[in-house]
């Protein structure tokens, strides 16, 4: 497990990539309510832009995004992000992507529907806010 | 044999000579001879003495001539004394003449003169004359002596002759005359009695000689009688012995001809007959046929098939008719004139019946050179012999008949059996050849028997070698081809007492048909084996084109050709289409034939095999560059059920017609091929159907998965928002319960969709597990996390208890799926438990990790228990118990994917226990993955 101890009170920055608006809005609100600083990307391109310009502590990545696949972005940037200390959590309704994600070095693969409490607890543990 | 005959035959030896009956002069003459010998010997001795004395006196007197005279006289005396060959009378006469001369000379002066020795000499002369030559001669000698002395007396007296010196002094005539007187007186005095005595002696001698001769004759007669009696007895004994011997030899003979020949020879030789013959009455009782006879005459008669009419000709005819013995003699009342030119010396004949019981089977005929050679006593003895002979003959004849019958049968059997039977002698000559096989080989018995094998079988060295091998003592069998036929030979050396091969017995059996059958069987077997192999092979083909190619290739191999095709009837039944072709038919694929067209068309039309010895002779044949090479061809129908499915055609490019066996094999092959084709057709259909079904199934699974996914996204939102609302804001109790209802039903719906998805995956074979080592703690924590909300939020007084027993094992399982299994079991337990506890117990048992979920719920009725893991089953359909009944089947499937088992025990009203057993070591099929970083 590779996570850093966070110091100070600066909020955990999270990039949430999810194409479905309802879902994205739900996760964003729940994470914001839990005290995280959340940026939202509805497409792979938006996510690429965010990742190019900002550092995120956690990248929450959906796989099936219309015609796009989140795994493409993970292939592009996954290793780099993890080296920069970004924790990657994959959310997917399709169990069949688990194996692929493991190959790409992704440790956290959560199957939708994801319990909001479970997701926030995991993020807190990863960012050292909760042991 | 009669006494008469014996007497006559033995007469030369025993009958006295006719003159022997009278006294022989020889005897008395002998006596006189001996007397003369004695006198001469005495006279020789005395005379010799006197001659010596005289010679001495003469020598003294100086008279040498006297000495010579004495010597001469003694020599002559000796000569007549020892000359026995000289006639008695001469010898006696010469001797007496000497005496006379002695007396005469004594009258002369040289020998003493009268009154001296002369008188003694004359007296001796006269007496011995009487003794030796009879009284008359004696008196004549006496008269001569007296006369001589008288003459000398006168001569002396007259002085004409000077008297001897010692008498010179006193000679007077008277004195001189006294001398002859004295001589006469004394001479007569001696001669008369001596003569008388001699006469008497002679008479007595003759008488005694006569008596002796008579006695001798009588004695001889007696001895002859004794001898004759003895001989008779001996003959009878011998006759009986011979009779017994003949009967015994007869009994030993196994062969009738030998027996008869032996019998006649024995009889003739032992009894000394001129001829002996045996007649047997023929089967019809008409003739007595001569079967054995002695000598040259017998041989000639046998050669002429001599036979006599029963009851009519000869004594044999009589005997065979009456059964009585009969004697025929050339003398007496029944005199017979024997006129057989072959037997000219026959003087008497005896015929004896040969009888078995009352039946006359023949006659024994014996002939003698002697007249009256047979009497009744002979008949009695011979009849005994004849009776024994008859029995022996009958026995032998029956034996021969039986043997003949047996031999005939055996001969019949051998002659009609397809064998060849040989016996070969040690020197290699064939001594017997039999059997029908000879005929088949074209071998004539006459050219085999008596010839050496080397010569007879010169063109078959193997056979000669085989005989040689057998003659060396080896017993063996061999198969040989002779004149195009097969013979199974068996060579057996027959070893004699001296351990050398005496004969070889060779039997050959004509096994040509057998061999042919064997060859046919072998060929058939080969075909059947090929058929079987072929059938097995073609049955293995399910793809139609492969199958048809295999069929035509194999069928061609079966009949040893390279050219063939298979045509199949089109589904619409209109045409035959060539589907595969090999050899010259390789380019005919796709050809279409109408019914009746070509060989295949004819087969189609006639629905039976069509064979053509030469296709090029068929008038309306199909033509083409390859087809013109077809010669012998066969078309076999492929009959599938009622209809004709197609035709297998096979062809040769030379005229070698397909044999019935090949056709039969092809037909059998075709019947199997037809089934194989039908199978292939059905298989294709099944394949297509299965393909379609699989496609439908796949589409269903895909649809199911798709739908599940599509359902899940909105459901995620519903559940998520309800959870979010409940997490953050404060609502009044009504609203809060409404939100929780949304959340719970959303989650139930989610479970059902998840289950459906799993089921779809299971059915599509897409459900896999990712087995990795998990710590029990980890598993328990996750299960708690998943399920504690259920117990906390639930309004039932049910506690959740977890017990982990030592030793704490490592679990090899798919983390997510194991959680799913346990959560499923726990939520079920919770669902059916109104109060009490749901206990999760983890323990190690044998080689398994046991995960036990126990509740204190309603339990499951036994009849439902056995179906609990089946799809769409649920134990309780009571109100409020929802669910599609997919959970437990999925659980079972998941457990089994781990190589584990699940079982359930339950008691209604008390609760249920589900036990999942997972292997302690990873399941072989599942790859453990590296442990996740958690």
């Amino acid at each position: 497990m590779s996570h850093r101890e966070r110091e100070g009170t600066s909020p955990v920055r999270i990039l949430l990539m999810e194409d479905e608006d309802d879902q994205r809005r739900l996760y964003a609100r729940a994470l914001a309510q839990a005290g995280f600083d959340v940026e939202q990307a509805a497409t792979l391109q938006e996510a690429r832009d965010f990742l190019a310009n900002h550092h995120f502590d956690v990248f929450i990545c959906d796989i099936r995004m219309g015609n796009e696949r989140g795994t493409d972005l993970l292939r592009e940037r996954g290793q780099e992000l993890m080296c920069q200390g970004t924790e990657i959590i994959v959310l997917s309704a399709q169990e069949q992507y688990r194996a692929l994600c493991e190959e790409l070095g992704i440790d956290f693969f959560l199957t939708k529907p994801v319990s909001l409490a479970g997701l926030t607890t995991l993020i807190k543990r990863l960012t050292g806010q909760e042991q | 044999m009669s006494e008469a005959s014996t007497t006559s035959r033995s007469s030369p030896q025993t009958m006295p000579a006719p003159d022997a009956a009278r006294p022989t002069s020889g005897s008395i003459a002998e006596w006189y001879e001996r007397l003369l010998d004695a006198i001469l010997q005495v006279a020789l001795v005395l005379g010799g003495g006197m001659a010596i004395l005289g010679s001495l006196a003469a020598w003294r007197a100086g008279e040498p001539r006297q000495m010579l005279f004495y010597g001469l006289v003694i020599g002559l005396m000796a000569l007549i004394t020892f000359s026995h060959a000289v006639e008695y009378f001469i010898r006696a006469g010469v001797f007496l003449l000497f005496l006379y001369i002695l007396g005469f000379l004594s009258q002369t002066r040289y020998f003493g003169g009268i009154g001296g020795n002369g008188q003694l000499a004359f007296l001796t002369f006269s007496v011995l004359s009487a003794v030796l030559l009879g009284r008359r001669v004696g008196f004549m000698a006496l008269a001569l002596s007296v006369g001589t002395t008288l003459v000398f007396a006168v001569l002396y007296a007259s002085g004409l002759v000077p008297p001897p010196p010692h008498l010179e002094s006193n000679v007077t005539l008277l004195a001189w005359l006294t001398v002859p007187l004295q001589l006469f007186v004394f001479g007569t005095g001696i001669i008369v009695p001596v003569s008388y005595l001699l006469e008497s002696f002679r008479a007595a001698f003759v008488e005694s000689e006569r008596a002796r001769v008579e006695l001798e004759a009588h004695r001889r007669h007696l001895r002859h009688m004794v001898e004759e009696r003895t001989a008779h007895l001996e003959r009878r004994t011998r006759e009986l012995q011979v009779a017994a011997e003949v009967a015994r030899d007869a009994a030993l003979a196994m062969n009738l001809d030998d027996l008869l020949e032996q019998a006649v020879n024995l009889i003739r030789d032992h009894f000394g007959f001129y001829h002996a013959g045996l007649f047997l009455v023929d089967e019809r009782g008409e003739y007595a046929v001569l079967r054995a006879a002695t000598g040259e005459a017998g041989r000639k008669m046998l050669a002429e098939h001599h036979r006599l009419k029963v009851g009519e000709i000869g004594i044999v005819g009589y005997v065979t008719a009456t059964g009585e013995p009969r004697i025929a003699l050339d003398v007496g009342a029944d005199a017979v004139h024997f006129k057989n030119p072959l037997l000219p010396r026959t003087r008497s004949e005896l015929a004896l019946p040969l009888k078995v019981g009352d039946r006359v089977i023949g006659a024994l005929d014996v002939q003698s050179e002697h007249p009256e050679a047979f009497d009744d006593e002979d008949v009695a003895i011979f009849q005994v012999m004849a009776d024994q002979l008859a029995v022996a003959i009958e026995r032998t004849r029956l034996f021969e008949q039986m043997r003949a019958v047996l031999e005939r049968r055996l001969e019949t059997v051998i002659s009609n059996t397809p064998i060849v039977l040989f016996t070969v002698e040690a020197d290699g000559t064939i001594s017997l050849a039999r059997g029908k096989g000879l005929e088949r080989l074209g071998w004539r018995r006459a050219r085999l028997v008596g010839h050496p094998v080397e010569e007879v079988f010169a063109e078959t060295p193997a056979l000669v070698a085989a005989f040689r091998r057998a003659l060396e003592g080896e017993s063996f069998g061999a198969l040989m081809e002779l004149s195009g036929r097969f013979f199974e030979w068996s060579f057996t050396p027959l070893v004699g007492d001296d351990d050398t091969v005496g004969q070889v017995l060779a039997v050959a059996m004509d096994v040509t048909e057998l061999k042919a059958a064997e060859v046919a069987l072998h060929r058939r077997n080969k075909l059947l084996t090929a058929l079987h192999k072929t059938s097995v092979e073609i049955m293995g083909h399910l793809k139609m084109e492969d199958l048809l190619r295999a069929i035509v290739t194999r069928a061609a191999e079966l009949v040893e050709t390279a050219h063939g095709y298979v045509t199949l009837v089109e589904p619409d039944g209109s045409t035959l289409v060539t589907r595969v072709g090999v050899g010259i038919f390789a380019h005919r694929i796709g050809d279409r034939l109408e019914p009746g067209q070509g060989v295949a068309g004819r087969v189609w039309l006639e629905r039976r095999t069509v064979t053509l010895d030469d296709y090029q002779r068929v008038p309306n044949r199909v033509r083409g560059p390859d087809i013109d090479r077809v010669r012998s061809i066969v078309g076999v129908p492929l009959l599938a059920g009622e209809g004709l499915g197609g035709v297998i055609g096979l062809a040769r490019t030379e005229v070698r017609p397909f044999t019935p066996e090949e056709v039969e094999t092809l037909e059998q092959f075709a019947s199997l091929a037809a089934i194989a084709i039908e199978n292939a057709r059905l298989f294709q259909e099944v394949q297509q159907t299965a393909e379609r079904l699989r496609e439908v199934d796949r589409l269903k699974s895909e649809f199911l998965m798709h739908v599940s996914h599509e359902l899940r996204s909105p459901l995620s939102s519903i559940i998520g928002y309800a959870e979010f609302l409940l997490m953050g804001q404060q609502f009044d109790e009504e609203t809060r319960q409404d939100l929780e209802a949304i959340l719970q039903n959303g989650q139930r719906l989610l479970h059902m969709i998840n289950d459906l998805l799993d089921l779809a995956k299971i059915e599509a074979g897409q459900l896999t597990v990712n087995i990795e080592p998990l710590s029990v703690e980890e598993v328990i924590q996750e299960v708690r996390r998943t399920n504690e909300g259920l117990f906390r939020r639930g309004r039932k007084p049910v506690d959740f208890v977890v017990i982990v027993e030592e030793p704490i094992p490592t679990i090899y399982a798919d983390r997510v799926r194991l959680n799913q299994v346990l959560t499923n079991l726990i939520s079920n337990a919770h669902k059916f438990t109104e109060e009490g506890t749901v206990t999760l117990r983890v323990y190690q048992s044998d080689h398994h990790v046991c995960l036990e979920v126990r509740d204190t719920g309603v339990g499951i009725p036994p009849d439902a228990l056995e179906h609990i893991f089946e799809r769409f089953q649920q134990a309780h359909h009571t109100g409020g118990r929802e669910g599609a009944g997919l959970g437990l089947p999925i659980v079972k499937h998941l457990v089994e994917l781990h190589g584990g088992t699940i079982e359930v025990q339950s008691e209604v009203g008390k609760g249920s226990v589900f036990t999942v057993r997972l292997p302690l070591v990873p399941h072989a099929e599942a790859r453990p993955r590296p442990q996740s970083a958690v």
Side-chain angles (χ1 to χ4, degrees), chain B residues 2-23:
Chain B
S2 70
E3 280 180 62
S5 85
T6 310
T7 306
S8 63
R9 281 192 289 119
S10 50
S11 58
Q13 296 82 39
T14 54
M15 177 121 13
D19 54 348
R22 291 167 285 138

Side-chain angles (χ1 to χ4, degrees), chain A residues 17-81:
Chain A
M17 182 177 77
E18 168 67 61
D19 62 326
E20 275 187 53
D21 295 344
D22 283 350
Q23 294 271 315
R24 193 176 60 250
R25 189 171 150 263
L26 172 63
Y27 294 132
R29 286 191 65 191
L31 291 172
Q33 200 172 38
F36 302 128
D37 183 1
V38 181
E39 295 293 346
Q40 298 179 41
T43 65
L44 252 62
Q45 193 50 51
E46 285 178 23
R48 281 194 192 98
D49 293 343
F50 275 118
L51 288 171
N53 300 316
H54 305 280
H55 172 80
F56 294 98
D57 297 303
V58 175
F59 173 38
I60 295 173
C61 174
D62 185 19
I63 301 294
R64 286 183 90 150
M65 315 239 315
N67 293 326
E68 294 178 316
R69 291 289 178 272
T71 45
D72 293 341
L73 185 57
L74 290 177
R75 247 183 233 108
E76 282 169 33
R77 302 289 308 272
Q79 288 297 317
E80 186 194 334
L81 290 171

Side-chain angles (χ1 to χ4, degrees), chain B residues 724-743:
Chain B
F724 175 69
L725 286 176
L726 283 168
M727 255 165 54
Q729 282 94 17
Q730 294 298 315
F731 297 104
D732 57 85
E733 192 54 29
E734 274 301 288
T735 311
R736 186 180 171 79
Q737 278 183 15
D738 295 346
L739 281 169
E740 276 188 355
I742 291 168
L743 181 63

Side-chain angles (χ1 to χ4, degrees), chain B residues 373-686:
Chain B
F374 306 108
D375 63 10
D376 292 343
E377 209 178 330
D378 291 322
V379 171
I381 286 174
F382 278 106
Q383 191 58 57
V384 170
M385 185 179 73
D387 289 347
Q388 289 178 326
L389 207 52
V391 171
I393 288 168
E394 188 64 4
R395 185 183 60 78
T396 312
R397 193 154 67 171
L398 286 173
F399 176 74
E400 279 207 339
Q401 274 174 5
M402 195 174 73
R403 195 170 58 182
V405 168
L406 283 175
E407 273 184 3
R408 220 170 24 249
R409 284 185 192 163
L410 190 63
E411 178 65 29
T412 309
V413 170
I414 291 175
S415 304
N416 291 295
T417 311
I419 63 165
V420 174
L421 182 73
F422 280 119
T423 58
V424 170
E425 300 303 313
D427 64 358
T429 53
I430 299 170
S431 51
L432 183 140
R434 288 283 170 86
K436 202 175 184 182
L438 292 174
E439 216 174 282
R440 293 193 178 173
L441 285 168
W443 290 351
R444 276 182 298 146
R445 277 168 65 178
R447 297 202 43 198
L448 298 169
V449 176
H451 297 274
V453 288
E454 277 87 353
E455 178 195 310
V456 175
F457 304 123
E459 287 170 21
T460 320
L463 195 52
V464 174
F467 272 115
R468 283 279 148 232
R469 217 171 121 195
L471 283 167
E472 279 162 22
E474 195 178 338
S475 178
F476 62 97
L479 182 72
M480 286 185 205
E481 193 182 342
L482 300 167
S483 309
R485 299 193 73 82
F486 286 95
F487 283 82
E488 178 84 52
W489 288 84
S490 156
F491 294 91
T492 312
L494 303 174
V495 177
D497 293 335
D498 56 351
D499 281 348
T500 59
V501 177
Q503 275 187 324
V504 164
L505 176 68
V507 182
M509 192 171 285
D510 186 344
V511 294
T512 311
E513 279 77 20
L514 205 65
K515 183 87 183 158
E518 195 186 302
V519 168
L521 193 68
H522 187 72
R523 198 166 54 228
R524 168 66 62 85
N525 245 345
K526 214 173 94 183
L527 284 173
L528 284 179
T529 308
L531 180 64
H532 172 73
K533 274 167 69 181
T534 304
S535 308
V536 168
E537 197 201 312
I538 61 165
M539 288 298 178
H541 288 286
L542 290 169
K543 267 183 74 183
M544 186 60 87
E545 294 306 312
D546 290 352
L547 172 66
L548 293 179
R549 187 154 293 279
I551 285 171
V552 75
T553 311
R554 293 307 171 195
E557 277 173 12
L558 280 180
V559 294
E560 292 165 351
T561 183
H563 315 289
Y565 59 82
V566 175
T567 60
L568 292 184
V569 178
E570 286 291 272
D572 62 1
S574 62
T575 46
L576 271 172
V577 177
T578 305
R579 296 286 296 271
V580 294
V582 294
I584 56 177
F585 299 103
H587 305 297
R588 312 301 298 190
I589 295 169
D591 278 11
R592 290 180 171 272
L593 293 169
E594 302 295 324
Q597 195 184 2
V599 172
R602 272 182 61 190
V603 174
W604 188 15
L605 206 60
E606 296 174 19
R607 287 175 160 239
R608 60 177 183 83
T609 302
V610 171
T611 325
L612 295 175
D613 291 352
D614 189 356
Y615 186 68
Q616 297 309 315
R617 289 166 181 250
V618 176
N620 58 341
R621 62 183 186 272
V622 175
R623 288 180 181 275
D626 293 332
I627 300 300
D628 286 347
R629 289 175 60 204
V630 173
R631 303 304 295 261
S632 296
I633 187 163
V634 62
V636 186
L638 289 162
L639 296 166
E642 291 295 301
L644 181 128
V647 176
I648 302 178
L650 294 155
R652 289 181 177 137
T653 51
E654 78 272 14
V655 178
R656 182 153 69 90
F658 292 88
T659 66
E661 281 136 31
E662 286 176 327
V663 169
E664 197 186 323
T665 306
L666 282 176
E667 283 173 348
Q668 288 177 2
F669 177 72
S671 64
L672 290 167
I675 294 168
I677 290 169
E678 191 63 20
N679 278 353
R681 265 183 187 152
L682 290 174
F683 181 77
Q684 273 183 343
E685 277 178 29
V686 168

Side-chain angles (χ1 to χ4, degrees), chain A residues 1 22-23 33 93-94 113, chain B residues 709 712 717 721 724 750 934:
Chain A
M1 189 176 292
D22 283 350
Q23 294 271 315
Q33 200 172 38
Q94 278 80 30
Chain B
H709 281 298
R712 235 169 19 171
S717 297
Y721 279 102
F724 175 69
L750 181 66
V934 174

